[in-house]
Amino acid sequence: MKNTFRKNKDNDTKKIIVIAEHLQDKIRTITWELMNFAFRLSEITGNRIVTVLPWEMDGQTESSCNSMVQDIMGNAPVDMDIICLSISGASHPDSLAIKESIATLLEEVKPSFVIAGHTSQGLDIAPGLAAKIGGIALTGVTRLIIEDEQPAFVQPLFKGRVNGVTALEKGAESPVVITIQPGVFSREKDKQSKSRCTVITKKMDMESLSKKKKTVKYAELLHISGKKSRLDGAKVIIAAGRGIGSPDNIEDVKELAECFPESAVAGSRPLIDMGWMTYEQQVGITGAVVEPELYMAVGISGSSQHIAGMKDAGFIVSVNKDPNAAIFNVSDICIVEDGLEFVRCLRSLFA
Ligand SMILES: Cc1cc2nc3c(=O)[nH]c(=O)nc-3n(C[C@H](O)[C@H](O)[C@H](O)COP(=O)(O)OP(=O)(O)OC[C@H]3O[C@@H](n4cnc5c(N)ncnc54)[C@H](O)[C@@H]3O)c2cc1C
């Protein structure tokens, strides 16, 4: 990407805020992707990156914060500030407490951009934060481009069938809160960082604030079972999406899968959310990443979150009644057909 902006002092005083994500004292991979995106954005705008690490919730110790800060410093793609935002009176990851405390912090910092993950944590924070700071929210951004010397952001729309581009007008003052699709701005793996980081500590007390504003209570973090998924190592995966129509039809998908050796049945997230399949069967950014020899997607639209989990399959066959379904963009064979009809018909050929 060409740097069309001349860096100057004024640009450097404007900030790109990165909201770091962590879980159980470990920085999550999405944070490196956010920093990579922020780095590219800073190359265009000349703005300085400030990574905010919300911590000390639910009894996190200072040493766990220090080790996360060290991790961030070691991965910083450019000189930047790190703000350790120590939040007392809330449990991690309490999105309300994080949102309120970051909003308070931003009254001081006045950023041009705030970057969060298009993840459960990031989506809980970003739109509300944008409203609070008088900014705009752009969610699920997958590309950063330059239009008229200004940064512009690409978002897949209508279940990935088209891409929308939002370009900023010259001199636009409102902060832009952006969530970044996981997996698309991955960090270059062997890049060694020699960046200089300044670490600043800020304290926020959410106890008093929570009394007035708290409408949602963070209950607990549930761990999914460490059970090995049948999807691991399966050579053929038949995956069903909402287009399969009813939980009763999963049986037909299972019967088709059984026609192949070393096979497994998978699903898109809505099927897991509706309880039609178990979490171990979910494919996508918040499920399993699979690489079978054959992946057959039946009634799956092809959201970027699903594609992230199956795009590296050896051969992809998709069945969808919509000829413009986004899943067809990554498929070797595209079949425009009723999903259940196709499954039953193919199954009957094995009989
Ligand atoms: C933070 C986050 C994380 C997410 N993580 C994941 C994830 O890990 N995995 C995941 O899958 N999703 C994930 N999602 C959800 C994702 O955005 C989509 O909502 C989901 O993938 C859509 O599932 P689907 O394609 O089954 O359903 P839909 O999008 O509703 O698509 C159904 C498809 O079926 C087709 N269809 C309808 N009837 C028929 C028929 N009779 N025959 C054939 N085709 C038919 C339709 O044309 C359509 O294309 C995530 C979302 C967010 C915000």
Side-chain angles (χ1 to χ4, degrees):
M1 185 176 289
K2 220 170 98 204
N3 185 358
T4 53
F5 278 70
R6 257 183 311 135
K7 294 193 184 186
N8 60 34
K9 268 214 160 80
D10 186 40
N11 278 344
D12 196 49
T13 58
K14 293 185 179 163
K15 306 286 189 261
I16 300 170
I17 301 289
V18 169
I19 304 179
E21 267 193 36
H22 56 93
L23 198 61
Q24 298 180 311
D25 298 341
K26 295 263 176 314
I27 298 289
R28 304 184 83 187
T29 308
I30 183 71
T31 304
W32 314 134
E33 299 175 12
L34 302 180
M35 287 190 344
N36 187 20
F37 177 85
F39 171 54
R40 296 191 204 179
L41 189 55
S42 74
E43 283 193 314
I44 303 170
T45 60
N47 294 174
R48 185 171 173 84
I49 302 175
V50 179
T51 295
V52 178
L53 177 71
W55 77 289
E56 207 196 89
M57 309 167 84
D58 200 13
Q60 276 182 297
T61 62
E62 199 158 337
S63 72
S64 76
C65 174
N66 288 343
S67 91
M68 289 192 287
V69 168
Q70 290 300 325
D71 213 2
I72 293 174
M73 287 166 93
N75 285 284
V78 68
D79 295 354
M80 63 181 196
D81 299 327
I82 301 170
I83 299 183
C84 295
L85 188 62
S86 153
I87 305 170
S88 57
S91 312
H92 186 79
D94 181 331
S95 55
L96 183 79
I98 297 175
K99 183 175 70 192
E100 293 291 337
S101 43
I102 291 180
T104 309
L105 175 77
L106 296 189
E107 282 170 21
E108 242 179 79
V109 180
K110 305 226 181 306
S112 305
F113 300 95
V114 180
I115 318 294
H118 196 70
T119 56
S120 324
Q121 282 190 32
L123 282 169
D124 258 2
I125 299 168
L129 186 62
K132 272 191 95 63
I133 63 173
I136 58 163
L138 291 178
T139 54
V141 167
T142 52
R143 269 174 67 209
L144 170 62
I145 57 177
I146 300 174
E147 281 205 353
D148 292 334
E149 301 185 352
Q150 295 293 306
F153 308 95
V154 179
Q155 295 165 281
L157 303 172
F158 303 109
K159 295 183 180 169
R161 267 176 274 181
V162 291
N163 280 329
V165 179
T166 304
L168 296 187
E169 287 190 352
K170 271 201 174 110
E173 287 294 326
S174 303
V176 186
V177 180
I178 300 169
T179 63
I180 299 301
Q181 200 68 249
V184 284
F185 293 98
S186 304
R187 161 182 64 144
E188 294 130 63
K189 283 204 175 90
D190 36 0
K191 193 169 174 184
Q192 283 297 313
S193 169
K194 300 243 179 326
S195 313
R196 277 172 307 159
C197 297
T198 312
V199 182
I200 304 154
T201 301
K202 301 256 180 201
K203 286 191 187 300
M204 296 279 170
D205 179 9
M206 284 295 111
E207 201 74 65
S208 51
L209 204 141
S210 61
K211 280 184 195 127
K212 279 189 283 165
K213 299 203 172 163
K214 214 158 189 173
T215 48
V216 178
K217 186 167 173 272
Y218 171 73
E220 67 178 306
L221 188 64
L222 293 176
H223 293 275
I224 51 158
S225 77
K227 237 183 358 194
K228 193 169 154 58
S229 164
R230 282 203 60 190
L231 302 181
D232 290 344
K235 292 202 169 141
V236 174
I237 293 179
I238 315 288
R242 200 151 29 192
I244 202 68
S246 139
D248 300 337
N249 301 336
I250 305 288
E251 206 42 51
D252 292 271
V253 178
K254 274 187 198 157
E255 281 177 16
L256 176 59
E258 279 160 14
C259 298
F260 298 90
E262 298 181 61
S263 64
V265 173
S268 64
R269 180 163 158 175
L271 271 59
I272 281 74
D273 291 347
M274 291 187 291
W276 297 6
M277 288 190 194
T278 62
Y279 176 71
E280 286 77 27
Q281 293 175 286
Q282 180 179 322
V283 168
I285 50 163
T286 45
V289 175
V290 295
E291 291 183 23
E293 288 171 16
L294 170 65
Y295 189 88
M296 194 178 291
V298 183
I300 295 180
S301 57
S303 67
S304 51
Q305 292 93 357
H306 186 84
I307 287 174
M310 45 65 78
K311 64 180 184 328
D312 294 326
F315 198 82
I316 301 172
V317 177
S318 299
V319 190
N320 199 301
K321 66 175 190 183
D322 175 3
N324 297 314
I327 192 91
F328 289 155
N329 298 333
V330 296
S331 302
D332 298 288
I333 295 184
C334 310
I335 299 164
V336 181
E337 183 56 83
D338 179 83
L340 187 61
E341 191 112 327
F342 174 84
V343 166
R344 285 182 178 162
C345 178
L346 186 58
R347 165 80 187 87
S348 69
L349 296 178
F350 287 90

